[in-house]
């Protein structure tokens, strides 16, 4: 992970470092000695991520834990996230190696797990200082972005020991109903009702296209890249992974993919350099994905609208915590504006699809 993504631990996100160190020394060999140096990664907006450094040992570990405040349903399930990574590692080696899971509330008051740090580069909204991407390298990176997702979707859940990760058929319906319910529960006075959008999604949902391991948060800033070749060396943030419809996963990924000709508000929300010359457009990514997997994009408008709505719910859930003073992170202050914009974009996409 990038050094520029790190900062001192925010007061509201602090934890008992000595307690974690004492617990870790019982789980892993070779950590005896002083407690680790700890910094916080600033890029995420859901689970909290920290770097534990043992300079004398040459060891760097990552700690993941849930945030404080109200949590949506089964979100922030550390044990589940740990289990998914542990099971996937033999069949999808881009998953970081997990080392230990703690479910003892006496340690830091919440479940957490520790994994190896994956060395490499993570691209955020702006390229690191001094870095540039030629159109040909940008294209190759965007191709790797979609090809790696297609590779994940080819993993056999049974072979990975994850056949029971999801609830089986009916994934599309459960997702529409579940995200609709989550939005209603997290709505604040300054955000729209989304009734038109959710009614359209309920009326236009297709059958499940397939059932496979889905990541559910596929973004460039969840991929670790080789510093020189930009090949994908790791995939992070498996909090939302489950067995589900691969086109729903792709639709959710495309909601984050801001291209150069998008409007001003979309560009302001961009969190990855998907706008650079040479990057595949959303349409090109969908076409390449379908070519690689054999799936059909006939109902793509549904997956597109669902992805945008789902992104609005995620933003609203985070804003809910800020609105109710469960976090004071200033990065969340204006997320209500993003939610309003996404409602407009969902409606525009529906109108374009219906020709009205």
């Amino acid at each position: 992970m990038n050094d520029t993504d790190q900062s001192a631990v925010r007061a509201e996100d602090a934890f008992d470092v000595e307690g974690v160190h004492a617990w870790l020394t019982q789980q892993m060999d070779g950590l005896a000695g002083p407690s680790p140096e700890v910094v916080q990664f600033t890029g995420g907006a859901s689970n909290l991520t920290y770097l534990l450094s043992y300079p004398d040992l040459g060891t760097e570990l990552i700690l993941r834990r849930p945030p404080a405040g109200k949590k949506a349903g089964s979100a922030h399930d550390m044990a589940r996230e740990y289990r998914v990574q542990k099971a996937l590692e033999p069949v999808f080696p881009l998953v970081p190696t997990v080392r230990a899971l703690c479910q003892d509330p006496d340690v830091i008051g919440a479940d957490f797990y520790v994994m190896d740090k994956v060395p490499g580069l993570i691209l955020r909204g702006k390229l690191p200082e001094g870095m540039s991407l030629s159109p040909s390298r940008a294209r190759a990176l965007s191709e790797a972005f979609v090809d790696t997702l297609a590779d994940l979707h080819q993993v056999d859940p049974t072979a990975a020991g994850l056949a029971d990760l999801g609830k089986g058929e009916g994934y599309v319906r459960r997702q529409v109903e579940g995200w609709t319910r989550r939005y209603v529960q997290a709505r604040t006075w300054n955000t729209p009702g989304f009734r038109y959008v959710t009614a359209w999604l309920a009326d236009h949902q297709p059958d499940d296209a397939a059932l496979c391991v889905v990541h559910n948060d596929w973004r460039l800033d969840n991929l670790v890249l080789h510093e020189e070749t930009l090949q994908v060396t790791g995939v992070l943030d498996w909090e939302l992974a489950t067995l589900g419809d691969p086109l729903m996963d792709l639709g959710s990924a495309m909601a984050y993919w801001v291209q150069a000709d998008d409007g001003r508000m979309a560009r302001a929300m961009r969190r990855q350099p998907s706008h650079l010359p040479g990057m595949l457009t959303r349409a090109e990514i969908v076409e390449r994905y379908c070519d690689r997997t054999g799936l059909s994009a006939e109902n793509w408008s549904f997956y597109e609208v669902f992805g945008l709505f789902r992104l609005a719910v995620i933003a609203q859930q985070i804003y809910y915590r800020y609105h109710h003073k469960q976090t004071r992170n200033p990065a969340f202050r204006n997320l209500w504006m993003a939610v309003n914009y996404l409602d407009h974009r969902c409606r525009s996409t529906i109108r374009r699809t219906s020709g009205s």
Side-chain angles (χ1 to χ4, degrees):
M1 296 185 181
N2 314 333
D3 292 341
T4 54
D5 297 333
Q6 302 170 12
S7 70
V9 177
R10 289 190 295 266
E12 67 184 66
D13 298 333
F15 62 88
D16 180 0
V17 176
E18 293 286 344
V20 167
H21 175 64
W23 179 83
L24 260 181
T25 56
Q26 299 176 27
Q27 311 300 316
M28 297 177 59
D29 295 332
L31 292 184
S35 297
E37 300 172 3
V38 180
V39 293
Q40 184 171 9
F41 288 104
T42 58
S46 182
N47 285 334
L48 305 176
T49 308
Y50 308 82
L51 174 65
L52 311 182
S53 298
Y54 291 87
D56 294 343
L57 305 175
T59 298
E60 291 185 318
L61 300 168
I62 300 295
L63 184 147
R64 293 262 292 170
R65 56 161 289 196
K70 178 180 177 179
K71 302 170 182 63
S74 60
H76 314 291
D77 187 337
M78 295 292 98
R80 188 176 185 277
E81 189 173 337
Y82 175 89
R83 177 206 167 195
V84 168
Q85 292 183 228
K86 193 171 185 65
L88 277 177
E89 186 182 0
V91 293
F92 190 72
L94 296 176
V95 174
T97 299
V98 290
R99 295 296 182 182
L101 168 70
C102 180
Q103 295 182 284
D104 181 356
D106 291 338
V107 179
I108 65 170
D111 290 358
F112 67 90
Y113 72 89
V114 174
M115 65 184 182
D116 288 351
K117 180 188 178 187
V118 180
L121 177 69
I122 296 176
L123 297 183
R124 306 290 186 188
K126 295 182 179 179
L127 294 179
E129 187 174 351
M131 179 183 178
S132 62
L133 272 184
S134 67
S136 61
R137 294 192 82 201
R139 181 180 181 86
L141 175 57
S142 57
E143 289 173 345
F145 169 86
V146 61
D147 291 352
T148 307
L149 180 61
D151 290 345
L152 171 65
H153 291 166
Q154 302 305 309
V155 168
D156 182 345
T158 301
L162 294 173
D164 62 343
L165 185 63
K167 297 179 179 179
E169 294 181 3
Y171 179 81
V172 172
R173 173 184 53 78
R174 290 193 300 273
Q175 289 294 294
V176 171
E177 293 175 352
W179 286 101
T180 299
R181 182 173 60 253
R182 292 180 195 109
Y183 184 79
V184 171
Q185 292 171 345
R187 187 186 176 193
T188 48
W189 67 268
N190 50 355
T191 51
F194 271 94
R195 295 181 187 87
Y196 175 75
V197 174
T198 55
W200 186 89
L201 287 170
D203 290 342
H204 290 81
Q205 52 189 304
D207 294 334
D208 296 349
L211 196 65
C212 66
V213 177
V214 292
H215 182 274
N216 262 331
D217 201 12
W218 198 262
R219 308 191 313 256
L220 268 177
D221 56 347
N222 275 331
L223 304 185
V224 185
L225 309 174
H226 188 280
E227 298 264 1
E228 298 178 359
T229 67
L230 299 186
Q231 291 297 307
V232 179
T233 59
V235 178
L236 308 177
D237 199 354
W238 293 88
E239 174 189 354
L240 299 174
T242 189
L243 295 190
D245 187 313
L247 292 177
M248 298 283 272
D249 208 9
L250 182 63
S252 298
M254 290 300 89
Y256 288 103
W257 194 266
V258 177
Q259 54 196 48
D261 60 352
D262 281 336
R264 181 171 59 87
M265 187 63 181
R267 296 197 306 272
M269 293 169 58
R270 182 178 54 78
R271 296 179 57 185
Q272 51 191 352
S274 51
H275 66 304
L276 296 177
M279 287 283 186
L280 296 177
T281 65
R282 289 186 293 271
E284 289 170 333
I285 288 176
V286 172
E287 181 180 9
R288 184 180 179 93
Y289 176 88
C290 290
D291 285 345
R292 286 181 64 91
T293 62
L295 293 172
S296 169
E298 180 182 1
N299 295 313
W300 180 249
S301 58
F302 170 83
Y303 303 106
E304 182 179 7
V305 173
F306 171 78
L308 293 168
F309 170 62
R310 178 181 177 275
L311 178 57
V313 181
I314 292 171
Q316 182 62 36
Q317 289 175 328
I318 297 168
Y319 178 72
Y320 180 98
R321 290 171 44 221
Y322 181 87
H323 184 80
H324 291 280
K325 298 182 172 57
Q326 295 172 357
T327 175
R328 291 288 81 192
N329 188 337
F332 305 152
R333 178 183 297 123
N334 293 321
L335 282 179
W336 66 272
M337 297 173 63
V339 176
N340 279 272
Y341 162 74
L342 288 166
D343 178 58
H344 165 75
R345 191 162 159 195
C346 285
R347 290 168 175 267
S348 298
T349 303
I350 292 171
R351 286 194 297 269
R352 185 186 73 231
T353 299
S354 64
S356 59

